[in-house]
Amino acid sequence: MIPGFANRRKFSDLTEQEILALAISSEEDDAQIYRLYAERLRKDFPDSALVFDGMAAEEDGHRAALIALHKRRFGDVIPLIRREHVSGYYARKPVWLIENLGLERMRAEARAMEQGAEAFYRRAAAQTTDADTRNLLGELAAAEAGHGKRAEELEAEHLGADARTREDEDAHRKFVLTWVQPGLAGLMDGSVSTLAPIFATAFATQDTHTTFLVGLAASVGAGISMGFTEAAHDDGVISGRGSPIKRGLASGIMTMVGGLGHALPYLIPDFWTATIIALVVVFVELWAIAWIQNKFMETPFMRAAFQVVLGGALVFAAGALIGGG
C-alpha cells in the first residue's frame, strides 16, 4: 500500500459541511498563491503584480461568501480539511517551482488553477442537496469560469498593451541572462574544451575505457569549475542577470552535458565505432550551439556556425595531433 494514500477520503464520501470546508481552504490557498506570485513579480513586473493582487482579492471574496454560508448552516467551527486529505482532488504545483519558471508560466498556471476550481465547484454543487449551498457553489463555478474574462479586465486596467509588451520583453531578457547565456557558455566550454583531452587520449591509447574515464573526469571537473565560477563572479544585483545559483547550475550542468556527449560513446568497446559516433555527436553539439546563438543571442546563423565549427575543429585537431604524436 502506498504510504499517505490510505488515509485519504474519497470526494464522494465528504459531507456537505466538509465540502464547504474544503472549498474555504482551497480559496485561502489560491489567494495566498496569487499573492506570492504578485510579490515575486512586484520588483520586475509591477503591472502584472497588480493583476495577481486583483485575482487574490477575488478569491478572498469567494472565501468570505463560503464562510458566511458555513456559519448559517453549520456554525462557526470549520472542519480542518485540505486538498491533500482528499483522493483525486485537483492539486496545485509547488509555488517555488512555478515562480522560478517565469512570468508566462505563472500566467499559464493561474489559468489552470481557475479551470481546476471551476470543475471542483461544479462537482461539489452536484453532490449537495441544500438549495442555498447548491446555488452558491454554482455561482462560484460560474465565477471561476469567468475569471479568464476578469483576468483580462484586470490586465486591461493594470497592464495595457505597451506595459505587457515591455514586461514580456523584460521576462525574455531575464530568461536569456539567467538561463540561456550561462547555459550556452557552459555548453560551448564543455563541448569544445574537452575535445582535446578526450581525443588526445583516444588516439594515444586507443583504449575506450581509459578514454571514457578521462572524458568523464574532464566533463565533471569542468562542470564544477564553470558552475562555481559563474555563481561567484556576479551576484546579479547590479547586472540584473538573476540568481547566481540558477546561473551556476545552468552553466555547470550544461558544461558537463557538453563534455559527456562525446565521452559516452567510448563506453562502446570497439575503438573506431566509438570514435566515429563521438565525432557525429561533436558535429551535432556544435551545430546546436550555433542554433542557440542564433535563436536567443540573435547572432547570424552562418557567423555563429563558422565561429563554433572553426573553434571546435581547431581544438579537435590539436587533440588528435597530440594524441597521434
Side-chain angles (χ1 to χ4, degrees):
M1 185 175 294
I2 301 175
F5 283 82
N7 297 324
R8 289 188 176 186
R9 299 276 300 281
K10 291 182 179 180
F11 185 85
S12 58
D13 292 338
L14 298 181
T15 66
E16 292 190 7
Q17 182 182 17
E18 289 172 331
I19 289 174
L20 278 178
L22 180 60
I24 290 167
S25 67
S26 296
E27 293 291 350
E28 289 175 346
D29 290 347
D30 287 357
Q32 183 64 11
I33 289 171
Y34 289 142
R35 287 196 172 88
L36 288 171
Y37 286 176
E39 228 18 66
R40 174 69 176 79
L41 296 171
R42 204 171 305 282
K43 179 181 177 182
D44 297 319
F45 309 107
D47 295 316
S48 285
L50 291 174
V51 173
F52 281 113
D53 283 334
M55 294 177 72
E58 290 275 317
E59 302 301 324
D60 286 340
H62 295 176
R63 172 176 168 272
L66 288 162
I67 290 176
L69 176 62
H70 187 280
K71 286 182 177 180
R72 289 198 304 271
R73 291 199 61 199
F74 303 109
D76 294 335
V77 180
I78 301 173
L80 179 60
I81 182 168
R82 307 187 72 83
R83 288 187 179 92
E84 57 268 25
H85 301 155
V86 181
S87 63
Y89 190 66
Y90 71 97
R92 294 288 185 240
K93 293 182 176 64
V95 174
W96 59 264
L97 174 62
I98 302 301
E99 68 180 9
N100 283 328
L101 293 181
L103 175 60
E104 195 54 44
R105 186 65 183 83
M106 290 187 197
R107 291 173 179 162
E109 181 62 19
R111 290 191 291 270
M113 287 170 63
E114 302 304 337
Q115 291 169 357
E118 178 194 356
F120 161 69
Y121 284 126
R122 293 199 185 283
R123 185 179 176 187
Q127 192 167 314
T128 56
T129 57
D130 179 76
D132 289 340
T133 303
R134 191 183 187 99
N135 181 62
L136 176 60
L137 293 173
E139 290 177 353
L140 290 175
E144 297 292 350
H147 264 192
K149 183 176 180 181
R150 178 57 179 152
E152 291 176 2
E153 293 172 355
L154 288 168
E155 288 186 6
E157 179 181 350
H158 300 296
L159 192 62
D162 292 340
R164 175 149 190 164
T165 299
R166 184 180 65 251
E167 287 197 350
D168 287 344
E169 289 174 350
D170 289 344
H172 177 73
R173 176 178 174 275
K174 192 164 186 178
F175 171 74
V176 170
L177 290 176
T178 303
W179 295 106
V180 177
Q181 192 179 70
L184 178 61
L187 184 61
M188 291 177 66
D189 184 82
S191 298
V192 176
S193 67
T194 57
L195 287 175
I198 289 176
F199 285 104
T201 304
F203 286 107
T205 65
Q206 296 198 6
D207 183 332
T208 57
H209 180 67
T210 301
T211 303
F212 170 73
L213 292 179
V214 170
L216 179 63
S219 301
V220 173
I224 293 172
S225 175
M226 283 288 288
F228 274 103
T229 299
E230 178 62 44
H233 92 277
D234 180 9
D235 61 10
V237 175
I238 297 176
S239 66
R241 296 181 64 223
S243 165
I245 295 176
K246 294 177 184 177
R247 290 186 285 105
L249 285 172
S251 181
I253 291 172
M254 292 309 293
T255 300
M256 187 169 61
V257 168
L260 286 176
H262 43 269
L264 289 175
Y266 284 98
L267 287 171
I268 299 171
D270 183 74
F271 172 76
W272 286 110
T273 301
T275 300
I276 291 171
I277 293 174
L279 289 172
V280 172
V281 171
V282 170
F283 180 81
V284 173
E285 287 173 347
L286 296 180
W287 281 99
I289 291 169
W291 180 83
I292 294 171
Q293 283 186 316
N294 173 253
K295 181 173 177 62
F296 293 101
M297 312 304 291
E298 299 181 359
T299 305
F301 183 79
M302 293 310 297
R303 189 175 79 184
F306 177 76
Q307 292 172 344
V308 172
V309 173
L310 177 62
L314 290 173
V315 175
F316 167 76
L321 287 172
I322 293 171

PDB file of all heavy atoms in Angstrom, residues 253-275:
ATOM      1  N   ILE A 253      25.816  22.488 -15.267  1.00  0.00           N
ATOM      2  CA  ILE A 253      25.165  21.309 -15.848  1.00  0.00           C
ATOM      3  C   ILE A 253      25.412  21.236 -17.351  1.00  0.00           C
ATOM      4  O   ILE A 253      25.726  20.173 -17.898  1.00  0.00           O
ATOM      5  CB  ILE A 253      23.652  21.327 -15.541  1.00  0.00           C
ATOM      6  CG1 ILE A 253      23.430  21.094 -14.040  1.00  0.00           C
ATOM      7  CG2 ILE A 253      22.924  20.264 -16.360  1.00  0.00           C
ATOM      8  CD1 ILE A 253      22.005  21.279 -13.597  1.00  0.00           C
ATOM      9  N   MET A 254      25.279  22.366 -18.046  1.00  0.00           N
ATOM     10  CA  MET A 254      25.465  22.347 -19.494  1.00  0.00           C
ATOM     11  C   MET A 254      26.924  22.099 -19.879  1.00  0.00           C
ATOM     12  O   MET A 254      27.200  21.502 -20.924  1.00  0.00           O
ATOM     13  CB  MET A 254      24.962  23.648 -20.109  1.00  0.00           C
ATOM     14  CG  MET A 254      23.450  23.825 -20.016  1.00  0.00           C
ATOM     15  SD  MET A 254      22.516  22.392 -20.612  1.00  0.00           S
ATOM     16  CE  MET A 254      22.923  22.430 -22.363  1.00  0.00           C
ATOM     17  N   THR A 255      27.860  22.543 -19.050  1.00  0.00           N
ATOM     18  CA  THR A 255      29.273  22.229 -19.302  1.00  0.00           C
ATOM     19  C   THR A 255      29.492  20.726 -19.235  1.00  0.00           C
ATOM     20  O   THR A 255      30.135  20.128 -20.105  1.00  0.00           O
ATOM     21  CB  THR A 255      30.172  22.930 -18.272  1.00  0.00           C
ATOM     22  OG1 THR A 255      29.990  24.345 -18.364  1.00  0.00           O
ATOM     23  CG2 THR A 255      31.640  22.609 -18.523  1.00  0.00           C
ATOM     24  N   MET A 256      28.941  20.116 -18.196  1.00  0.00           N
ATOM     25  CA  MET A 256      29.095  18.671 -18.026  1.00  0.00           C
ATOM     26  C   MET A 256      28.417  17.915 -19.174  1.00  0.00           C
ATOM     27  O   MET A 256      28.975  16.949 -19.708  1.00  0.00           O
ATOM     28  CB  MET A 256      28.509  18.239 -16.686  1.00  0.00           C
ATOM     29  CG  MET A 256      28.758  16.782 -16.338  1.00  0.00           C
ATOM     30  SD  MET A 256      28.331  16.393 -14.623  1.00  0.00           S
ATOM     31  CE  MET A 256      26.589  16.780 -14.617  1.00  0.00           C
ATOM     32  N   VAL A 257      27.217  18.364 -19.560  1.00  0.00           N
ATOM     33  CA  VAL A 257      26.498  17.716 -20.661  1.00  0.00           C
ATOM     34  C   VAL A 257      27.292  17.811 -21.957  1.00  0.00           C
ATOM     35  O   VAL A 257      27.407  16.839 -22.718  1.00  0.00           O
ATOM     36  CB  VAL A 257      25.103  18.355 -20.843  1.00  0.00           C
ATOM     37  CG1 VAL A 257      24.461  17.918 -22.152  1.00  0.00           C
ATOM     38  CG2 VAL A 257      24.203  17.989 -19.673  1.00  0.00           C
ATOM     39  N   GLY A 258      27.873  19.003 -22.212  1.00  0.00           N
ATOM     40  CA  GLY A 258      28.655  19.192 -23.426  1.00  0.00           C
ATOM     41  C   GLY A 258      29.842  18.259 -23.512  1.00  0.00           C
ATOM     42  O   GLY A 258      30.153  17.728 -24.586  1.00  0.00           O
ATOM     43  N   GLY A 259      30.501  18.015 -22.398  1.00  0.00           N
ATOM     44  CA  GLY A 259      31.644  17.102 -22.406  1.00  0.00           C
ATOM     45  C   GLY A 259      31.239  15.644 -22.460  1.00  0.00           C
ATOM     46  O   GLY A 259      31.839  14.839 -23.183  1.00  0.00           O
ATOM     47  N   LEU A 260      30.186  15.300 -21.716  1.00  0.00           N
ATOM     48  CA  LEU A 260      29.760  13.896 -21.678  1.00  0.00           C
ATOM     49  C   LEU A 260      29.216  13.429 -23.019  1.00  0.00           C
ATOM     50  O   LEU A 260      29.258  12.234 -23.324  1.00  0.00           O
ATOM     51  CB  LEU A 260      28.694  13.706 -20.591  1.00  0.00           C
ATOM     52  CG  LEU A 260      29.184  13.738 -19.150  1.00  0.00           C
ATOM     53  CD1 LEU A 260      28.008  13.643 -18.200  1.00  0.00           C
ATOM     54  CD2 LEU A 260      30.170  12.607 -18.886  1.00  0.00           C
ATOM     55  N   GLY A 261      28.706  14.374 -23.816  1.00  0.00           N
ATOM     56  CA  GLY A 261      28.140  13.999 -25.106  1.00  0.00           C
ATOM     57  C   GLY A 261      29.089  13.182 -25.949  1.00  0.00           C
ATOM     58  O   GLY A 261      28.702  12.175 -26.552  1.00  0.00           O
ATOM     59  N   HIS A 262      30.354  13.606 -26.007  1.00  0.00           N
ATOM     60  CA  HIS A 262      31.298  12.843 -26.825  1.00  0.00           C
ATOM     61  C   HIS A 262      32.234  11.966 -25.992  1.00  0.00           C
ATOM     62  O   HIS A 262      33.164  11.374 -26.520  1.00  0.00           O
ATOM     63  CB  HIS A 262      32.123  13.779 -27.747  1.00  0.00           C
ATOM     64  CG  HIS A 262      32.607  15.009 -27.085  1.00  0.00           C
ATOM     65  ND1 HIS A 262      31.887  16.182 -27.083  1.00  0.00           N
ATOM     66  CD2 HIS A 262      33.750  15.270 -26.426  1.00  0.00           C
ATOM     67  CE1 HIS A 262      32.566  17.125 -26.452  1.00  0.00           C
ATOM     68  NE2 HIS A 262      33.692  16.583 -26.040  1.00  0.00           N
ATOM     69  N   ALA A 263      31.972  11.881 -24.685  1.00  0.00           N
ATOM     70  CA  ALA A 263      32.698  10.914 -23.859  1.00  0.00           C
ATOM     71  C   ALA A 263      31.924   9.601 -23.750  1.00  0.00           C
ATOM     72  O   ALA A 263      32.510   8.513 -23.745  1.00  0.00           O
ATOM     73  CB  ALA A 263      32.942  11.486 -22.462  1.00  0.00           C
ATOM     74  N   LEU A 264      30.595   9.686 -23.691  1.00  0.00           N
ATOM     75  CA  LEU A 264      29.771   8.486 -23.517  1.00  0.00           C
ATOM     76  C   LEU A 264      29.938   7.446 -24.631  1.00  0.00           C
ATOM     77  O   LEU A 264      29.856   6.245 -24.354  1.00  0.00           O
ATOM     78  CB  LEU A 264      28.293   8.890 -23.382  1.00  0.00           C
ATOM     79  CG  LEU A 264      27.912   9.578 -22.072  1.00  0.00           C
ATOM     80  CD1 LEU A 264      26.465  10.044 -22.116  1.00  0.00           C
ATOM     81  CD2 LEU A 264      28.137   8.645 -20.884  1.00  0.00           C
ATOM     82  N   PRO A 265      30.150   7.858 -25.896  1.00  0.00           N
ATOM     83  CA  PRO A 265      30.340   6.825 -26.925  1.00  0.00           C
ATOM     84  C   PRO A 265      31.488   5.870 -26.629  1.00  0.00           C
ATOM     85  O   PRO A 265      31.501   4.734 -27.132  1.00  0.00           O
ATOM     86  CB  PRO A 265      30.615   7.646 -28.196  1.00  0.00           C
ATOM     87  CG  PRO A 265      29.884   8.922 -27.971  1.00  0.00           C
ATOM     88  CD  PRO A 265      30.054   9.202 -26.500  1.00  0.00           C
ATOM     89  N   TYR A 266      32.449   6.299 -25.800  1.00  0.00           N
ATOM     90  CA  TYR A 266      33.592   5.427 -25.511  1.00  0.00           C
ATOM     91  C   TYR A 266      33.251   4.345 -24.480  1.00  0.00           C
ATOM     92  O   TYR A 266      34.137   3.607 -24.050  1.00  0.00           O
ATOM     93  CB  TYR A 266      34.794   6.265 -25.081  1.00  0.00           C
ATOM     94  CG  TYR A 266      35.435   6.931 -26.274  1.00  0.00           C
ATOM     95  CD1 TYR A 266      35.153   8.250 -26.589  1.00  0.00           C
ATOM     96  CD2 TYR A 266      36.274   6.214 -27.124  1.00  0.00           C
ATOM     97  CE1 TYR A 266      35.709   8.855 -27.712  1.00  0.00           C
ATOM     98  CE2 TYR A 266      36.832   6.804 -28.244  1.00  0.00           C
ATOM     99  CZ  TYR A 266      36.548   8.123 -28.537  1.00  0.00           C
ATOM    100  OH  TYR A 266      37.087   8.704 -29.666  1.00  0.00           O
ATOM    101  N   LEU A 267      31.985   4.257 -24.121  1.00  0.00           N
ATOM    102  CA  LEU A 267      31.539   3.072 -23.387  1.00  0.00           C
ATOM    103  C   LEU A 267      31.445   1.871 -24.323  1.00  0.00           C
ATOM    104  O   LEU A 267      31.381   0.726 -23.882  1.00  0.00           O
ATOM    105  CB  LEU A 267      30.167   3.344 -22.746  1.00  0.00           C
ATOM    106  CG  LEU A 267      30.169   4.291 -21.535  1.00  0.00           C
ATOM    107  CD1 LEU A 267      28.737   4.643 -21.146  1.00  0.00           C
ATOM    108  CD2 LEU A 267      30.912   3.673 -20.357  1.00  0.00           C
ATOM    109  N   ILE A 268      31.409   2.160 -25.623  1.00  0.00           N
ATOM    110  CA  ILE A 268      31.411   1.097 -26.624  1.00  0.00           C
ATOM    111  C   ILE A 268      32.828   0.505 -26.711  1.00  0.00           C
ATOM    112  O   ILE A 268      33.803   1.255 -26.874  1.00  0.00           O
ATOM    113  CB  ILE A 268      30.981   1.656 -28.002  1.00  0.00           C
ATOM    114  CG1 ILE A 268      29.560   2.221 -27.913  1.00  0.00           C
ATOM    115  CG2 ILE A 268      31.070   0.582 -29.079  1.00  0.00           C
ATOM    116  CD1 ILE A 268      29.123   2.981 -29.145  1.00  0.00           C
ATOM    117  N   PRO A 269      32.994  -0.795 -26.635  1.00  0.00           N
ATOM    118  CA  PRO A 269      34.347  -1.389 -26.608  1.00  0.00           C
ATOM    119  C   PRO A 269      35.157  -1.178 -27.885  1.00  0.00           C
ATOM    120  O   PRO A 269      36.369  -0.994 -27.820  1.00  0.00           O
ATOM    121  CB  PRO A 269      34.082  -2.887 -26.369  1.00  0.00           C
ATOM    122  CG  PRO A 269      32.719  -2.939 -25.766  1.00  0.00           C
ATOM    123  CD  PRO A 269      31.957  -1.803 -26.373  1.00  0.00           C
ATOM    124  N   ASP A 270      34.495  -1.186 -29.034  1.00  0.00           N
ATOM    125  CA  ASP A 270      35.244  -1.042 -30.289  1.00  0.00           C
ATOM    126  C   ASP A 270      35.692   0.403 -30.474  1.00  0.00           C
ATOM    127  O   ASP A 270      34.868   1.334 -30.506  1.00  0.00           O
ATOM    128  CB  ASP A 270      34.372  -1.473 -31.474  1.00  0.00           C
ATOM    129  CG  ASP A 270      35.145  -1.408 -32.783  1.00  0.00           C
ATOM    130  OD1 ASP A 270      36.000  -2.279 -33.015  1.00  0.00           O
ATOM    131  OD2 ASP A 270      34.897  -0.452 -33.564  1.00  0.00           O
ATOM    132  N   PHE A 271      37.001   0.597 -30.654  1.00  0.00           N
ATOM    133  CA  PHE A 271      37.567   1.942 -30.684  1.00  0.00           C
ATOM    134  C   PHE A 271      37.025   2.778 -31.832  1.00  0.00           C
ATOM    135  O   PHE A 271      36.588   3.917 -31.647  1.00  0.00           O
ATOM    136  CB  PHE A 271      39.103   1.864 -30.765  1.00  0.00           C
ATOM    137  CG  PHE A 271      39.750   3.205 -31.000  1.00  0.00           C
ATOM    138  CD1 PHE A 271      39.851   4.119 -29.974  1.00  0.00           C
ATOM    139  CD2 PHE A 271      40.245   3.549 -32.249  1.00  0.00           C
ATOM    140  CE1 PHE A 271      40.424   5.368 -30.190  1.00  0.00           C
ATOM    141  CE2 PHE A 271      40.826   4.779 -32.469  1.00  0.00           C
ATOM    142  CZ  PHE A 271      40.917   5.698 -31.439  1.00  0.00           C
ATOM    143  N   TRP A 272      37.075   2.262 -33.072  1.00  0.00           N
ATOM    144  CA  TRP A 272      36.684   3.077 -34.222  1.00  0.00           C
ATOM    145  C   TRP A 272      35.184   3.334 -34.250  1.00  0.00           C
ATOM    146  O   TRP A 272      34.747   4.421 -34.651  1.00  0.00           O
ATOM    147  CB  TRP A 272      37.160   2.423 -35.517  1.00  0.00           C
ATOM    148  CG  TRP A 272      38.646   2.571 -35.695  1.00  0.00           C
ATOM    149  CD1 TRP A 272      39.588   1.600 -35.615  1.00  0.00           C
ATOM    150  CD2 TRP A 272      39.340   3.798 -35.941  1.00  0.00           C
ATOM    151  NE1 TRP A 272      40.848   2.125 -35.796  1.00  0.00           N
ATOM    152  CE2 TRP A 272      40.722   3.481 -36.007  1.00  0.00           C
ATOM    153  CE3 TRP A 272      38.943   5.119 -36.109  1.00  0.00           C
ATOM    154  CZ2 TRP A 272      41.701   4.447 -36.231  1.00  0.00           C
ATOM    155  CZ3 TRP A 272      39.908   6.094 -36.329  1.00  0.00           C
ATOM    156  CH2 TRP A 272      41.277   5.753 -36.388  1.00  0.00           C
ATOM    157  N   THR A 273      34.399   2.387 -33.820  1.00  0.00           N
ATOM    158  CA  THR A 273      32.945   2.630 -33.722  1.00  0.00           C
ATOM    159  C   THR A 273      32.662   3.760 -32.738  1.00  0.00           C
ATOM    160  O   THR A 273      31.876   4.678 -33.013  1.00  0.00           O
ATOM    161  CB  THR A 273      32.212   1.354 -33.276  1.00  0.00           C
ATOM    162  OG1 THR A 273      32.467   0.314 -34.210  1.00  0.00           O
ATOM    163  CG2 THR A 273      30.712   1.598 -33.167  1.00  0.00           C
ATOM    164  N   ALA A 274      33.308   3.677 -31.564  1.00  0.00           N
ATOM    165  CA  ALA A 274      33.122   4.716 -30.551  1.00  0.00           C
ATOM    166  C   ALA A 274      33.598   6.075 -31.060  1.00  0.00           C
ATOM    167  O   ALA A 274      32.935   7.098 -30.844  1.00  0.00           O
ATOM    168  CB  ALA A 274      33.874   4.332 -29.272  1.00  0.00           C
ATOM    169  N   THR A 275      34.728   6.103 -31.737  1.00  0.00           N
ATOM    170  CA  THR A 275      35.283   7.373 -32.212  1.00  0.00           C
ATOM    171  C   THR A 275      34.397   8.008 -33.284  1.00  0.00           C
ATOM    172  O   THR A 275      34.159   9.224 -33.272  1.00  0.00           O
ATOM    173  CB  THR A 275      36.703   7.150 -32.759  1.00  0.00           C
ATOM    174  OG1 THR A 275      37.532   6.629 -31.714  1.00  0.00           O
ATOM    175  CG2 THR A 275      37.288   8.455 -33.276  1.00  0.00           C
TER     176      THR A 275
END
